[in-house]
Amino acid sequence: MAVYTTVSDEALASFLEEYDLGEARSFKGIAEGVENSNYYLETDRGRYILTLFERRADPKDLPYFIDLKRHLAQKSFPCPAPVAGKDGEALRQLEGRPAVIVTFLDGLSPKSPNAPQCRSLGAGLARMHASLADFDQRRQNSLGPASWPGLWRGRAETADSLQDGLAARIKSDLKAIADAKPQSLQIPRGTIHADLFPDNAFFLGDEFTGAIDFYFACSDVLAYDIAVCLNSWAFENGSEYNYSKGAALIAGYESVRPLEAAERDALPVLCLGAALRFFLTRLVDWTDTPADALVRPKNPLEYADKLAFHRKAVSAGDYGA
């Protein structure tokens, strides 16, 4: 389960005294997610999610994440809204960790998204970008291209142990991204989610009902969010690109916000970069997660296979745009 920090009954009761939420009726860990400790909390007044921040969450970034979700909630975009305590503050401490309670969001995360869900997700992503257009806070992408050489350093041997010759291919990808200079592209920028995988999106049937887990949100190229989603929504069995799903996702996005020509031109390098980012962070987790950890690291080879597809892509048309 994605629970790194255990919350005692006594600590929870004391914590809830700082809120006007009533008494706890149900409290249990949530299996999804790998970055933070998440708990389902039900009181006699409603349902909530309690998050304790761990791992890659920098404490100085937490007010940004909370303000971002407040902004989205005020714009009526469906996402968990931070709940303030009696003193008006949402960010608190629990079991020695920064913690926040957010409202519960109805819906289910698709295990194997279909094309209509991909289209609905694309439209939801564009609506999120529109809702954040006037969000005036900025946060650097801490897992952007500048961080990738550091994540890769010292891990070539591990990569080759997973797949023969993989280290040379990753080294070539890093050079290709550096040469393309994606951070200098003259295309629309704004606030992005940067981690909108299927387990971070909710649906009722085929209709997108909301997004969660904004703890990688940052200021970056808007189309990079599309690239992250194409990598996580439009591949079958990790390696086979589903053109219909990719085309549906892009069409859904463009039904709200049409892409500029320069964004289309940049899509192959953005998709390569997004795949490289998740390959590298998975490789780090693969080697650094203790054997007795409650969370099992995801295999980086899934993204090695996706990188192989992106290396051959020459235009947005290869993705269904």
Side-chain angles (χ1 to χ4, degrees), residues 163-174 176-177 231 235-241 268-269 271-279 300-314 318-319:
Q163 186 180 93
D164 188 45
L166 181 56
R169 291 188 287 275
I170 297 302
K171 184 177 180 180
S172 177
D173 292 334
L174 285 165
I177 296 295
N231 271 288
F235 280 84
E236 306 289 350
N237 303 316
S239 60
E240 299 173 9
Y241 187 74
V269 72
C271 284
L272 179 72
L276 187 57
R277 175 269 196 245
F278 287 101
F279 170 81
L301 284 183
E302 176 186 341
Y303 273 85
D305 291 341
K306 292 176 182 180
L307 284 165
F309 174 84
H310 299 312
R311 291 182 196 115
K312 299 176 182 178
V314 296
D318 292 312
Y319 297 96

Side-chain angles (χ1 to χ4, degrees), residues 74-266:
Q74 290 168 359
K75 294 282 186 173
S76 299
F77 180 84
C79 75
V83 177
K86 295 174 183 177
D87 59 0
E89 297 295 326
L91 185 61
R92 320 188 80 78
Q93 289 280 322
L94 176 61
E95 297 286 10
R97 298 283 188 272
V100 66
I101 292 177
V102 297
T103 55
F104 186 84
L105 197 64
D106 285 322
L108 297 173
S109 297
K111 299 299 182 185
S112 180
N114 58 35
Q117 288 172 329
C118 287
R119 182 182 177 89
S120 185
L121 180 279
L125 178 65
R127 292 198 305 273
M128 187 197 75
H129 287 167
S131 297
L132 290 169
D134 60 349
F135 182 61
D136 60 6
Q137 297 187 41
R138 299 290 179 266
R139 175 181 178 267
Q140 183 179 355
N141 186 350
S142 59
L143 289 172
S147 73
W148 299 344
L151 293 173
W152 172 243
R153 192 172 297 117
R155 302 185 191 277
E157 184 176 343
T158 301
D160 276 341
S161 72
L162 292 170
Q163 186 180 93
D164 188 45
L166 181 56
R169 291 188 287 275
I170 297 302
K171 184 177 180 180
S172 177
D173 292 334
L174 285 165
K175 184 178 185 304
I177 296 295
D179 290 346
K181 298 181 174 62
Q183 295 302 96
S184 65
L185 294 173
Q186 299 302 306
I187 56 179
R189 304 175 67 88
T191 302
I192 67 171
H193 187 286
D195 193 38
L196 194 50
F197 278 53
D199 59 358
N200 286 333
F202 285 175
F203 289 77
L204 291 177
D206 292 338
E207 292 302 312
F208 172 80
T209 59
I212 64 171
D213 202 351
F214 287 81
Y215 302 119
F216 289 109
C218 57
S219 306
D220 210 321
V221 170
L222 296 180
Y224 181 69
D225 245 357
I226 300 174
V228 170
C229 290
L230 288 172
N231 271 288
S232 54
W233 291 76
F235 280 84
E236 306 289 350
N237 303 316
S239 60
E240 299 173 9
Y241 187 74
N242 187 312
Y243 188 90
S244 296
K245 290 184 180 181
L249 194 155
I250 295 169
Y253 188 92
E254 292 202 283
S255 71
V256 177
R257 177 187 168 267
L259 293 173
E260 296 181 3
E263 291 179 290
R264 290 172 173 268
D265 292 343

